[in-house]
mmCIF file of all heavy atoms in Angstrom:
data_model
loop_
_atom_site.group_PDB
_atom_site.id
_atom_site.type_symbol
_atom_site.label_atom_id
_atom_site.label_comp_id
_atom_site.label_asym_id
_atom_site.label_seq_id
_atom_site.Cartn_x
_atom_site.Cartn_y
_atom_site.Cartn_z
ATOM 1 N N ASP X 357 -33.317 -21.869 3.892
ATOM 2 C CA ASP X 357 -33.787 -22.425 5.158
ATOM 3 C C ASP X 357 -34.849 -21.506 5.760
ATOM 4 O O ASP X 357 -34.582 -20.335 6.046
ATOM 5 C CB ASP X 357 -32.625 -22.577 6.144
ATOM 6 C CG ASP X 357 -31.558 -23.529 5.631
ATOM 7 O OD1 ASP X 357 -31.900 -24.409 4.815
ATOM 8 O OD2 ASP X 357 -30.389 -23.369 6.028
ATOM 9 N N GLU X 358 -36.035 -22.046 5.943
ATOM 10 C CA GLU X 358 -37.110 -21.290 6.600
ATOM 11 C C GLU X 358 -37.054 -21.592 8.101
ATOM 12 O O GLU X 358 -37.368 -22.701 8.526
ATOM 13 C CB GLU X 358 -38.467 -21.661 6.024
ATOM 14 C CG GLU X 358 -39.600 -20.819 6.586
ATOM 15 C CD GLU X 358 -40.927 -21.141 5.931
ATOM 16 O OE1 GLU X 358 -41.001 -22.160 5.209
ATOM 17 O OE2 GLU X 358 -41.894 -20.380 6.145
ATOM 18 N N GLN X 359 -36.621 -20.618 8.896
ATOM 19 C CA GLN X 359 -36.401 -20.837 10.315
ATOM 20 C C GLN X 359 -37.365 -20.002 11.151
ATOM 21 O O GLN X 359 -37.738 -18.884 10.777
ATOM 22 C CB GLN X 359 -34.960 -20.476 10.686
ATOM 23 C CG GLN X 359 -33.925 -21.287 9.917
ATOM 24 C CD GLN X 359 -32.514 -20.931 10.318
ATOM 25 O OE1 GLN X 359 -32.163 -20.928 11.490
ATOM 26 N NE2 GLN X 359 -31.691 -20.604 9.329
ATOM 27 N N LEU X 360 -37.740 -20.543 12.278
ATOM 28 C CA LEU X 360 -38.658 -19.880 13.182
ATOM 29 C C LEU X 360 -38.064 -18.564 13.665
ATOM 30 O O LEU X 360 -36.905 -18.507 14.081
ATOM 31 C CB LEU X 360 -38.962 -20.786 14.384
ATOM 32 C CG LEU X 360 -39.987 -20.257 15.392
ATOM 33 C CD1 LEU X 360 -41.361 -20.161 14.739
ATOM 34 C CD2 LEU X 360 -40.038 -21.175 16.622
ATOM 35 N N GLY X 361 -38.854 -17.510 13.589
ATOM 36 C CA GLY X 361 -38.446 -16.219 14.121
ATOM 37 C C GLY X 361 -37.814 -15.284 13.108
ATOM 38 O O GLY X 361 -37.625 -14.095 13.398
ATOM 39 N N THR X 362 -37.471 -15.770 11.905
ATOM 40 C CA THR X 362 -36.856 -14.891 10.904
ATOM 41 C C THR X 362 -37.833 -13.793 10.507
ATOM 42 O O THR X 362 -38.956 -14.072 10.077
ATOM 43 C CB THR X 362 -36.435 -15.683 9.655
ATOM 44 O OG1 THR X 362 -35.499 -16.703 10.047
ATOM 45 C CG2 THR X 362 -35.782 -14.775 8.627
ATOM 46 N N VAL X 363 -37.414 -12.541 10.664
ATOM 47 C CA VAL X 363 -38.300 -11.412 10.382
ATOM 48 C C VAL X 363 -38.506 -11.246 8.881
ATOM 49 O O VAL X 363 -39.609 -10.965 8.421
ATOM 50 C CB VAL X 363 -37.731 -10.118 11.006
ATOM 51 C CG1 VAL X 363 -38.591 -8.912 10.634
ATOM 52 C CG2 VAL X 363 -37.626 -10.260 12.522
ATOM 53 N N ARG X 364 -37.464 -11.417 8.097
ATOM 54 C CA ARG X 364 -37.586 -11.249 6.651
ATOM 55 C C ARG X 364 -38.381 -12.379 6.028
ATOM 56 O O ARG X 364 -38.319 -13.528 6.503
ATOM 57 C CB ARG X 364 -36.189 -11.196 6.016
ATOM 58 C CG ARG X 364 -36.116 -10.325 4.782
ATOM 59 C CD ARG X 364 -34.834 -10.535 4.022
ATOM 60 N NE ARG X 364 -34.940 -11.639 3.075
ATOM 61 C CZ ARG X 364 -33.955 -12.000 2.261
ATOM 62 N NH1 ARG X 364 -32.801 -11.389 2.304
ATOM 63 N NH2 ARG X 364 -34.120 -13.004 1.421
ATOM 64 N N HIS X 365 -39.129 -12.081 4.984
ATOM 65 C CA HIS X 365 -39.873 -13.106 4.272
ATOM 66 C C HIS X 365 -38.908 -14.084 3.605
ATOM 67 O O HIS X 365 -37.817 -13.705 3.179
ATOM 68 C CB HIS X 365 -40.774 -12.477 3.209
ATOM 69 C CG HIS X 365 -41.812 -11.559 3.780
ATOM 70 N ND1 HIS X 365 -42.708 -10.866 3.008
ATOM 71 C CD2 HIS X 365 -42.100 -11.219 5.060
ATOM 72 C CE1 HIS X 365 -43.499 -10.141 3.767
ATOM 73 N NE2 HIS X 365 -43.144 -10.330 5.021
ATOM 74 N N GLN X 366 -39.337 -15.326 3.487
ATOM 75 C CA GLN X 366 -38.474 -16.320 2.842
ATOM 76 C C GLN X 366 -38.257 -15.981 1.375
ATOM 77 O O GLN X 366 -37.171 -16.167 0.842
ATOM 78 C CB GLN X 366 -39.071 -17.724 2.966
ATOM 79 C CG GLN X 366 -38.153 -18.814 2.418
ATOM 80 C CD GLN X 366 -38.701 -20.212 2.599
ATOM 81 O OE1 GLN X 366 -39.903 -20.385 2.822
ATOM 82 N NE2 GLN X 366 -37.853 -21.230 2.511
ATOM 83 N N GLN X 367 -39.289 -15.448 0.739
ATOM 84 C CA GLN X 367 -39.176 -15.049 -0.662
ATOM 85 C C GLN X 367 -39.432 -13.560 -0.782
ATOM 86 O O GLN X 367 -40.417 -13.045 -0.236
ATOM 87 C CB GLN X 367 -40.181 -15.820 -1.519
ATOM 88 C CG GLN X 367 -40.180 -15.410 -2.994
ATOM 89 C CD GLN X 367 -41.114 -16.254 -3.822
ATOM 90 O OE1 GLN X 367 -40.826 -17.411 -4.113
ATOM 91 N NE2 GLN X 367 -42.240 -15.690 -4.216
ATOM 92 N N SER X 368 -38.554 -12.849 -1.473
ATOM 93 C CA SER X 368 -38.699 -11.412 -1.679
ATOM 94 C C SER X 368 -38.839 -11.137 -3.173
ATOM 95 O O SER X 368 -38.133 -11.732 -3.994
ATOM 96 C CB SER X 368 -37.486 -10.652 -1.139
ATOM 97 O OG SER X 368 -37.381 -10.796 0.265
ATOM 98 N N ILE X 369 -39.759 -10.225 -3.520
ATOM 99 C CA ILE X 369 -40.009 -9.856 -4.912
ATOM 100 C C ILE X 369 -40.032 -8.331 -5.009
ATOM 101 O O ILE X 369 -40.718 -7.662 -4.230
ATOM 102 C CB ILE X 369 -41.339 -10.425 -5.429
ATOM 103 C CG1 ILE X 369 -41.367 -11.951 -5.296
ATOM 104 C CG2 ILE X 369 -41.574 -10.006 -6.870
ATOM 105 C CD1 ILE X 369 -42.694 -12.569 -5.700
ATOM 106 N N ARG X 370 -39.283 -7.797 -5.978
ATOM 107 C CA ARG X 370 -39.289 -6.361 -6.237
ATOM 108 C C ARG X 370 -39.348 -6.122 -7.744
ATOM 109 O O ARG X 370 -38.821 -6.912 -8.525
ATOM 110 C CB ARG X 370 -38.039 -5.688 -5.645
ATOM 111 C CG ARG X 370 -37.987 -5.763 -4.130
ATOM 112 C CD ARG X 370 -36.680 -5.245 -3.557
ATOM 113 N NE ARG X 370 -36.645 -5.432 -2.113
ATOM 114 C CZ ARG X 370 -35.584 -5.189 -1.345
ATOM 115 N NH1 ARG X 370 -34.469 -4.726 -1.896
ATOM 116 N NH2 ARG X 370 -35.637 -5.393 -0.043
ATOM 117 N N HIS X 371 -40.001 -5.019 -8.112
ATOM 118 C CA HIS X 371 -40.099 -4.604 -9.503
ATOM 119 C C HIS X 371 -39.580 -3.177 -9.630
ATOM 120 O O HIS X 371 -39.784 -2.353 -8.730
ATOM 121 C CB HIS X 371 -41.557 -4.631 -9.992
ATOM 122 C CG HIS X 371 -42.261 -5.937 -9.798
ATOM 123 N ND1 HIS X 371 -42.249 -6.941 -10.749
ATOM 124 C CD2 HIS X 371 -43.019 -6.412 -8.763
ATOM 125 C CE1 HIS X 371 -42.956 -7.967 -10.313
ATOM 126 N NE2 HIS X 371 -43.438 -7.675 -9.108
ATOM 127 N N THR X 372 -38.938 -2.881 -10.758
ATOM 128 C CA THR X 372 -38.574 -1.497 -11.053
ATOM 129 C C THR X 372 -38.966 -1.171 -12.488
ATOM 130 O O THR X 372 -38.950 -2.036 -13.370
ATOM 131 C CB THR X 372 -37.064 -1.220 -10.888
ATOM 132 O OG1 THR X 372 -36.334 -1.899 -11.909
ATOM 133 C CG2 THR X 372 -36.570 -1.644 -9.515
ATOM 134 N N MET X 373 -39.322 0.095 -12.707
ATOM 135 C CA MET X 373 -39.548 0.639 -14.040
ATOM 136 C C MET X 373 -38.749 1.929 -14.136
ATOM 137 O O MET X 373 -38.740 2.738 -13.203
ATOM 138 C CB MET X 373 -41.028 0.927 -14.288
ATOM 139 C CG MET X 373 -41.889 -0.305 -14.479
ATOM 140 S SD MET X 373 -41.556 -1.157 -16.055
ATOM 141 C CE MET X 373 -42.058 0.078 -17.240
#
Side-chain angles (χ1 to χ4, degrees):
D357 298 334
E358 185 176 12
Q359 301 181 52
L360 183 66
T362 301
V363 176
R364 212 193 87 178
H365 298 179
Q366 185 177 18
Q367 177 176 286
S368 296
I369 302 176
R370 295 173 184 174
H371 306 270
T372 69
M373 287 290 296

